[in-house]
Amino acid sequence: MALRVMIVDDALFMRNMLKDIFVRAGYEIVAEADNGEAAPQLYQDTKPDLVTMDIVMPKKSGIEALQEIIVTDPQARVVMVSALGQDALVLEAVEAGARDFIVKPFREDKVLETIRRIVGQD
Amino acid sequence: MDMSKYRELFLSEAREHINSLSQLVVTLEQEPGNRETIDALFREAHSIKGMAATMGFNNTARLSHHLEDLLDGFRNSGDIPSVTIDYLLEGIDLLDGLLDDLLDDRPERNTEDFLTKQPVPAADREKKSPDRSIADVDDDESSKAPPEEPDTFQVLIELEKGIPAAAACGILILRELEKSGKVKASKPEMDELREEGDCEQIQAWLTSLVEKEQLKETLLNISGVANVRFIEDRRKNDRRLRRAVDRTIRVRTDLLDQFVNLTGELITHRNMLNTAGSNRNWDELNSALERAGRLIDDLHHNVLQVRLMPLQSITGRLPRIVRDLSRKSGKKVNLQLNGTDVGIDRVILEEITDPLVHLVRNAVDHGIEEEGVVTVSAGREKDLILIEVADNGKGMDPQTLRQKAVDSGVVTQAQAHSMSDRDALMLVCRPGFSTAQEVTETSGRGVGMDVVRAAIRNLGGTLNIISEVGTGTRFQMRLPLSIAIIKILLVRCAGRVLAIPITRVQRTLDLPTSEIQTSGPHRLFRLDEEEICLYSLAETLNLPQAAAGDITWAILTEVRGLRVGLQVDGFLGQRDAFIKPTGFPLNLLTGLSGATVEGDGRVTFVVDPQALLEKHKMVTNL
Amino acid sequence: MALILTYSLGNDLYGLEIDAIQEIIENPVLHYVPRAEGVLTGSINFHGQILAVIDLPKLLGFAGNQRDHRHLVLTSEYRSLVFTTCGVERIVNLEMEFLQPPPDGHDRPAVRGIIDFNETTINLLDTDEVTKQLEDIFAE
């Protein structure tokens, strides 16, 4: 069965870029959110295998959304997406339970490598 | 009393004493019965004993006391039998191991076996271990390492240089380790990482049933992990050498006095500047500024001085390495050190440790045939340091090297033919080229000459080889006195590659092009509820700015307290770079802070975005 | 006696003392220098030093002419400048006692003195003048 992925990012461009990468890899995009507020409920509804989560977003940050998701599902596999120079935020997210992180600008193979490792771990 | 603050100092000083101990023993072996050498040995052991006892490092103190007693017994007779020389060297190795334990915060290893055993006659020893090599010494030690935890092993995980959020990577790695076993200790610890300490590598003591190979594979899969090593490798001596360059540095008091004086003068000048400023006296202001500039130059010079360490701090162990190598190979090699008190920037010192050891090993292995002298000499040459490793062995024949390079496919026949002798000698630095007929254990593996040359190049230095058949070979390293290594972000700009110091980059941006607004001559974008101006790096360099695609790449930087975006055509990653000053008149160009040379010889210039923006008067009406 | 390297600038023959030249390199790889324009044609990696390449004819106002593939790297006393110039000819051996100051009305730029050689005049380059001109151009 194809891996079911949810993408959270406020920039349509980034969502599309990630979507293309995942579709090419044969994954299924089950949900998309453009802010942190919608993400936890969407997670509950769709129960994806994996979430990519932008850190800086309007309304609610990716870290807050991550914390809420982890509370409801400690096994949630959330990968943070950050820009260069956000080390402190990345650290906070990893502490909060993010499984890994990818840094923009990213390369397709690196993204897939990270995701395969996380999915392979469990 | 809290002794922990003296720990670093103890470690560095004790290591120096151990280095001299081992040097002195090698000297003693060459001139047995030299009373002065025995006295010096006694004093060294005595110093270590005193320091270790004060610090409460009992095993170290007992062992050095034992060696001191042993040496005291020979002070009158002045004659140390060769079995005792071997026994002393074994004791020094053990001391070195104890220091490793203390450095790594492990309990001190067991010394009982050594203390209770009598010097074994050399003949018996040779039977047990026919060639007492470095590798054998290490085996002895690793079996002696923390005895109470036989299943614990040490793993060293090196991270890629300059990766973002290294501390977060570190946490992910430690979590992975915890999954596969029990982490007894780690460096840095989880808590240190949480405080976002800098993280270049993770050292961990792990009790685990997972196969090492399997664990290595898992760890290598984590993004950002460059290398995984289990510590028991044969190059232990080299690592110790590297450790010899400790984190603490001792500063001459006269230099400290100069710092105090300079600071005092600067304070006086600040007052003058204040007065001139409030009086709006421009002449006074200018002259005070000029003098302040000179004072800062002096201060800079003195700061660089502090970073200098004598070459001795890494050559101290060479006599022992050469002794062990000559024993192993059955060659008779005499090592001479000249001018090793020359001061070198400690970063350079760290980086040339491996290359230097490699060159010395090469000289013993490949240069000297049966008997000869290897000379390591150092000295200043204008604003460079020249370090030379010379042997009086068989030398290298350019013609043989040409042929060998053709045979091994490194160059074509035609290339080899047109090559000067000087270039032919440099062939030994090509990857995949080895002059030794067979790979020897010591220098044929591990770092090759290509790595040596790359290390020297990275420091902004050069390697030169002079060789004459039948006379010997000289490897000359020319290195800068001081060094500037900074992290840079490589960017694409109008078809060119430029570097920006990472300290100038608050963060990288990927802006959806559609969201960039135009307001009069300005382009604006929103970030954290703030309107920020976007400029073009290409335009500051009088180059055409190519149209961006769906996404506009930019860096966020700051000019006169304002956040601004600077558009580039793409990012090529970040790395550490050695920044070279540029020659006249390049040094006069505003916005160029230097250049760095890539591995393939290409030159990439480092630009200062602030200076460029200010120069271009782009940020005028903000 | 002094060894002088001769090269042509416009229709004139110029000379530079061999002692001022560290090395003559053929077709070096030129690297882009940000904000370089005019007489600064790029930079070279000369044994690890990053040096500026100066178009000497252009600096001294001589038009046209193909540049020689040989570049002259000056010694550090002359700030390790690298000159690209025209028609690098040959090395001649001259009696420096015969060096004369440029006569009145001599309108060639950056000439330290002139000396006759086989019925032609060699203008000896004034490197100090060249450095000074560069300082004026690049000081910002």
Side-chain angles (χ1 to χ4, degrees):
Chain A
M1 209 176 75
L3 191 76
R4 302 171 67 254
V5 185
M6 167 170 152
I7 301 171
V8 188
D9 200 310
D10 58 335
L12 177 63
F13 171 82
M14 293 311 296
R15 288 206 303 279
N16 286 346
M17 198 160 156
L18 284 167
K19 205 156 41 171
D20 290 345
I21 292 177
F22 294 149
V23 168
R24 273 196 291 274
Y27 302 164
E28 185 190 346
I29 314 298
V30 293
E32 281 180 51
D34 65 0
N35 65 73
E37 202 167 64
Q41 188 57 46
L42 213 50
Y43 183 87
Q44 287 287 8
D45 297 344
T46 54
K47 287 278 180 229
D49 298 320
L50 187 119
V51 182
T52 68
M53 178 84 73
D54 189 20
I55 295 190
V56 182
M57 283 185 295
K59 291 185 191 166
K60 191 171 274 179
S61 82
I63 295 177
E64 285 172 278
L66 162 77
Q67 283 162 337
E68 284 179 33
I69 292 175
I70 294 281
V71 169
T72 59
D73 178 5
Q75 300 304 310
R77 294 187 281 215
V78 182
V79 175
M80 304 311 281
V81 179
S82 84
L84 201 62
Q86 296 184 320
D87 289 14
L89 291 174
V90 169
L91 193 62
E92 200 182 321
V94 164
E95 281 249 60
R99 292 294 184 88
D100 207 333
F101 60 95
I102 45 189
V103 179
K104 291 183 274 193
F106 44 68
R107 277 178 32 203
E108 177 161 355
D109 51 347
K110 284 277 170 201
V111 174
L112 292 176
E113 201 177 277
T114 305
I115 283 166
R116 289 194 185 112
R117 193 182 72 251
I118 289 164
V119 177
Q121 272 175 356
D122 297 349
Chain B
M1 189 168 137
D2 176 22
M3 301 300 290
S4 59
K5 60 179 169 185
Y6 303 110
R7 194 174 154 273
E8 292 266 313
L9 192 58
F10 165 79
L11 287 171
S12 75
E13 282 204 333
R15 192 76 76 178
E16 275 175 35
H17 286 296
I18 292 175
N19 283 346
S20 358
L21 269 178
S22 99
Q23 250 179 304
L24 286 164
V25 173
V26 176
T27 316
L28 191 65
E29 191 175 37
Q30 282 154 4
E31 314 163 4
N34 184 328
R35 202 79 63 87
E36 276 172 37
T37 314
I38 299 177
D39 282 345
L41 274 166
F42 173 81
R43 283 194 303 271
E44 298 288 349
H46 181 81
S47 307
I48 300 174
K49 181 192 74 176
M51 294 193 299
T54 316
M55 292 297 294
F57 300 142
N58 294 333
N59 287 7
T60 308
R62 262 180 33 225
L63 175 59
S64 35
H65 191 172
H66 178 75
L67 295 178
E68 184 191 341
D69 279 349
L70 184 71
L71 288 161
D72 198 25
F74 293 105
R75 277 171 103 181
N76 291 325
S77 69
D79 188 16
I80 294 195
S82 68
V83 281
T84 311
I85 296 274
D86 285 338
Y87 184 69
L88 277 172
L89 283 174
E90 199 182 327
I92 292 165
D93 283 343
L94 189 53
L95 265 181
D96 213 26
L98 283 161
L99 225 52
D100 281 348
D101 292 341
L102 296 170
L103 189 68
D104 295 342
D105 276 331
R106 279 192 304 252
E108 294 177 279
R109 63 190 64 190
N110 188 2
T111 52
E112 270 324 303
D113 291 353
F114 178 81
L115 294 178
T116 50
K117 123 175 135 182
Q118 287 305 308
V120 185
D124 290 357
R125 286 188 58 85
E126 300 298 305
K127 251 182 252 157
K128 261 190 278 168
S129 56
D131 52 3
R132 200 182 128 74
S133 69
I134 292 159
D136 295 334
V137 175
D138 283 344
D139 286 349
D140 288 348
E141 276 178 5
S142 55
S143 65
K144 270 181 227 149
E148 60 273 31
E149 287 295 351
D151 293 328
T152 305
F153 56 90
Q154 193 186 344
V155 57
L156 184 73
I157 300 141
E158 289 165 345
L159 298 180
E160 282 163 27
K161 277 200 173 168
I163 51 161
C169 281
I171 291 184
L172 290 170
I173 289 164
L174 281 180
R175 263 191 213 161
E176 191 62 47
L177 287 174
E178 275 161 5
K179 272 195 220 159
S180 52
K182 176 143 182 52
V183 179
K184 310 285 281 184
S186 72
K187 209 172 158 179
E189 301 253 357
M190 193 73 109
D191 285 345
E192 290 169 292
L193 289 170
R194 288 207 173 107
E195 280 159 28
E196 214 195 340
D198 197 22
C199 179
E200 281 166 7
Q201 59 174 48
I202 301 231
Q203 209 174 351
W205 289 266
L206 184 73
T207 318
S208 169
L209 294 170
V210 180
E211 284 286 321
K212 281 185 187 166
E213 274 311 303
Q214 199 189 327
L215 182 63
K216 182 171 178 174
E217 207 173 301
T218 320
L219 291 170
L220 279 175
N221 260 325
I222 299 179
S223 41
V225 173
N227 194 12
V228 175
R229 281 192 293 152
F230 294 96
I231 308 290
E232 55 189 359
D233 62 346
R234 57 178 194 89
R235 299 202 302 135
K236 193 158 183 176
N237 269 303
D238 297 0
R239 275 194 298 111
R240 273 201 223 127
L241 261 169
R242 195 172 313 137
R243 282 205 191 131
V245 185
D246 261 304
R247 268 183 241 116
T248 48
I249 238 176
R250 265 169 289 157
V251 183
R252 293 195 324 270
T253 42
D254 60 327
L255 203 52
L256 280 181
D257 290 346
Q258 283 185 43
F259 275 117
V260 175
N261 289 343
L262 278 169
T263 320
E265 281 191 56
L266 277 169
I267 292 168
T268 316
H269 265 83
R270 186 187 58 190
N271 297 339
M272 283 174 63
L273 280 166
N274 279 340
T275 318
S278 51
N279 295 342
R280 295 177 192 277
N281 185 334
W282 301 127
D283 287 345
E284 223 173 83
L285 195 62
N286 279 334
S287 77
L289 273 174
E290 199 179 296
R291 256 175 296 168
R294 275 204 300 273
L295 285 171
I296 289 167
D297 284 347
D298 285 352
L299 198 58
H300 182 232
H301 175 78
N302 280 344
V303 169
L304 290 180
Q305 289 283 312
V306 172
R307 295 176 53 89
L308 299 186
M309 286 180 79
L311 184 66
Q312 264 149 5
S313 44
I314 63 168
T315 54
R317 290 217 142 238
L318 290 177
R320 177 68 194 277
I321 288 175
V322 169
R323 172 198 183 266
D324 287 347
L325 275 178
S326 8
R327 274 219 175 180
K328 191 170 165 57
S329 57
K331 295 176 186 178
K332 209 165 165 243
V333 184
N334 182 7
L335 175 75
Q336 285 184 356
L337 300 171
N338 298 328
T340 53
D341 52 348
V342 66
I344 305 179
D345 189 286
R346 57 188 299 270
V347 175
I348 300 180
L349 211 54
E350 276 172 38
E351 294 300 318
I352 61 162
T353 303
D354 284 348
L356 184 65
V357 171
H358 185 77
L359 289 176
V360 169
R361 287 194 159 154
N362 256 349
V364 176
D365 267 3
H366 307 316
I368 306 288
E369 282 180 295
E370 276 163 24
E371 190 176 340
V373 182
V374 172
T375 312
V376 175
S377 36
R380 283 280 287 277
E381 202 178 67
K382 288 187 200 155
D383 51 354
L384 294 173
I385 295 277
L386 171 68
I387 303 175
E388 184 182 88
V389 177
D391 68 64
N392 62 352
K394 59 178 176 252
M396 295 193 290
D397 177 13
Q399 197 44 46
T400 316
L401 295 176
R402 281 192 193 97
Q403 192 52 49
K404 211 173 137 53
V406 172
D407 292 347
S408 52
V410 173
V411 295
T412 65
Q413 191 80 51
Q415 283 171 321
H417 190 72
S418 63
M419 198 174 266
S420 69
D421 280 0
R422 195 188 126 127
D423 289 341
L425 288 172
M426 291 306 285
L427 281 169
V428 299
C429 297
R430 298 282 186 99
F433 188 95
S434 173
T435 49
Q437 290 304 307
E438 62 213 71
V439 171
T440 67
E441 193 190 337
T442 40
S443 58
R445 276 192 257 138
V447 275
M449 281 304 298
D450 53 330
V451 180
V452 169
R453 186 171 63 163
I456 294 168
R457 241 190 211 173
N458 284 340
L459 291 167
T462 55
L463 177 70
N464 188 26
I465 307 174
I466 302 165
S467 189
E468 208 172 306
V469 176
T471 310
T473 305
R474 290 189 285 161
F475 287 88
Q476 299 180 321
M477 297 190 257
R478 281 184 177 78
L479 300 159
L481 261 185
S482 70
I483 184 165
I485 291 176
I486 62 168
K487 265 196 171 52
I488 53 167
L489 176 70
L490 289 168
V491 301
R492 270 191 304 119
C493 173
R496 285 148 176 131
V497 178
L498 291 171
I500 300 173
I502 215 92
T503 48
R504 294 287 199 236
V505 181
Q506 290 184 356
R507 55 175 284 197
T508 53
L509 300 165
D510 44 81
L511 307 163
T513 304
S514 56
E515 288 175 20
I516 296 169
Q517 316 259 311
T518 309
S519 153
H522 296 295
R523 290 189 294 162
L524 299 165
F525 63 95
R526 289 196 75 80
L527 186 78
D528 312 335
E529 309 303 312
E530 191 190 339
E531 293 260 285
I532 292 176
C533 267
L534 180 66
Y535 301 95
S536 150
L537 177 60
E539 282 171 18
T540 66
L541 300 169
N542 302 327
L543 297 169
Q545 173 63 56
D550 289 340
I551 199 127
T552 300
W553 305 104
I555 61 159
L556 187 67
T557 185
E558 183 232 64
V559 181
R560 293 194 217 126
L562 280 170
R563 297 209 288 174
V564 298
L566 192 61
Q567 180 181 354
V568 299
D569 295 340
F571 299 112
L572 298 164
Q574 42 174 325
R575 64 177 179 85
D576 282 329
F578 167 70
I579 305 302
K580 289 162 166 295
T582 50
F584 171 84
L586 299 175
N587 55 350
L588 298 178
L589 288 171
T590 309
L592 286 199
S593 28
T596 176
V597 179
E598 307 288 334
D600 60 4
R602 268 182 307 127
V603 177
T604 305
F605 279 84
V606 183
V607 293
D608 178 349
Q610 272 112 326
L612 283 176
L613 284 166
E614 286 188 355
K615 164 81 191 159
H616 222 254
K617 300 206 168 55
M618 279 187 154
V619 202
T620 42
N621 51 345
L622 281 169
Chain C
M1 299 288 261
L3 292 172
I4 307 288
L5 177 84
T6 67
Y7 51 93
S8 49
L9 287 178
N11 295 319
D12 297 320
L13 198 59
Y14 267 70
L16 184 62
E17 290 99 322
I18 282 293
D19 285 348
I21 301 173
Q22 193 175 159
E23 205 169 309
I24 298 173
I25 40 175
E26 301 192 1
N27 291 322
V29 182
L30 281 191
H31 302 278
Y32 161 73
V33 177
R35 303 194 54 233
E37 46 202 60
V39 299
L40 178 58
T41 59
S43 64
I44 61 165
N45 177 0
F46 181 72
H47 305 313
Q49 281 175 282
I50 316 292
L51 304 181
V53 180
I54 302 297
D55 189 328
L56 195 59
K58 200 167 184 176
L59 178 74
L60 302 182
F62 291 96
N65 276 345
Q66 182 115 27
R67 302 290 177 261
D68 200 282
H69 66 287
R70 285 162 290 193
H71 287 53
L72 318 180
V73 184
L74 303 197
T75 61
S76 56
E77 273 165 83
Y78 300 93
R79 311 186 95 168
S80 304
L81 283 170
V82 184
F83 288 154
T84 172
T85 180
C86 309
V88 174
E89 253 185 21
R90 55 175 160 161
I91 292 167
V92 293
N93 204 345
L94 296 177
E95 289 288 357
M96 291 306 270
E97 294 103 85
F98 298 133
L99 182 74
Q100 296 163 17
D104 287 345
H106 187 88
D107 57 354
R108 306 289 180 262
V111 175
R112 185 158 72 87
I114 58 169
I115 193 161
D116 283 335
F117 175 72
N118 287 358
E119 292 165 24
T120 48
T121 300
I122 295 176
N123 297 295
L124 209 58
L125 184 75
D126 186 345
T127 40
D128 288 343
E129 173 62 24
V130 170
T131 316
K132 200 178 147 300
Q133 287 196 20
L134 288 172
E135 269 170 1
D136 290 346
I137 294 172
F138 289 99
E140 294 178 301

